């Protein structure tokens, strides 16, 4: 198994990324994807097309995994790829979607206002670890989970993007 982690602070926003390979597990129903999450997928695809890569397609199962983790981080007052109980991200994601390869990027902003989707993708593109995930030809599916709440005593918008191979 291969894993890499990167953490960056950019414009007062915290970013983190992790990517990993193989493991297994199951399912879930499709969560409601909001306009900002759809805008983020469009912004990711804009970057991928600019770099000669195929678009990623939204996955309801990955969106459910991402949303679960964003909610979990706010409820547990932490910001990390591992789950609150210490479960590694790849196991959590594979509980929702069984794919050969999975990757994850996280971002935290002071708020999820206008332009936040482009801002997050721009921050990810300016961070080598995040950029590697967004521009990986391995990943063909993505699920986004954006939640707002309190984290570390401050209001925060937490975004989880879970990526996966086609199968």
């Amino acid at each position: 198994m291969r894993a890499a982690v990167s953490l960056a602070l950019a414009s007062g926003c915290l970013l983190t990324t992790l990517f990993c390979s193989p493991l297994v597990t199951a399912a879930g129903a499709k969560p409601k994807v909001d306009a900002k999450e759809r805008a983020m997928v469009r912004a990711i695809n804009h970057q991928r097309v600019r770099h000669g890569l195929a678009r990623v397609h939204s996955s309801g199962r990955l969106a459910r995994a991402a949303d679960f983790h964003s909610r979990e981080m706010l409820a547990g007052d932490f910001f990390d790829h591992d789950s609150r109980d210490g479960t590694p991200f790849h196991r959590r994601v594979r509980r929702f979607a069984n794919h050969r390869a999975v990757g994850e990027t996280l971002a935290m902003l002071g708020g999820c206002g206008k332009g936040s989707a482009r801002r997050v993708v721009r921050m990810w593109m300016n961070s080598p670890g995040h950029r590697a995930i967004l521009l990986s030809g391995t990943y063909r599916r993505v699920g986004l989970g954006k939640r707002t709440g309190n984290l570390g005593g401050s209001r925060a918008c937490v975004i989880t993007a879970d990526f996966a191979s086609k199968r």
Side-chain angles (χ1 to χ4, degrees), residues 22-104:
L23 211 62
V24 193
T25 306
K30 187 170 186 172
K32 208 172 213 176
V33 179
D34 74 14
K36 291 206 184 335
E37 291 163 338
R38 284 191 303 274
M40 218 169 293
V41 172
R42 283 192 306 273
I44 290 167
N45 280 328
H46 175 77
Q47 292 299 325
R48 289 178 63 87
V49 168
R50 281 187 58 211
H51 290 86
L53 295 166
R55 296 174 186 273
V56 289
H57 298 281
S58 291
S59 161
R61 289 177 181 215
L62 290 171
R64 188 166 172 235
D67 186 63
F68 173 85
H69 192 54
S70 290
R71 282 186 290 116
E72 175 185 51
M73 286 189 290
L74 289 170
D77 198 27
F78 72 99
F79 187 76
D80 194 7
H81 291 283
D82 289 346
S83 292
R84 186 180 350 188
D85 66 2
T87 300
F89 100 93
H90 59 88
R91 284 197 194 138
R92 174 182 30 81
V93 172
R94 286 189 175 105
R95 278 189 220 134
F96 295 89
N98 183 13
H99 292 272
R100 180 180 51 77
V102 298
E104 180 171 87

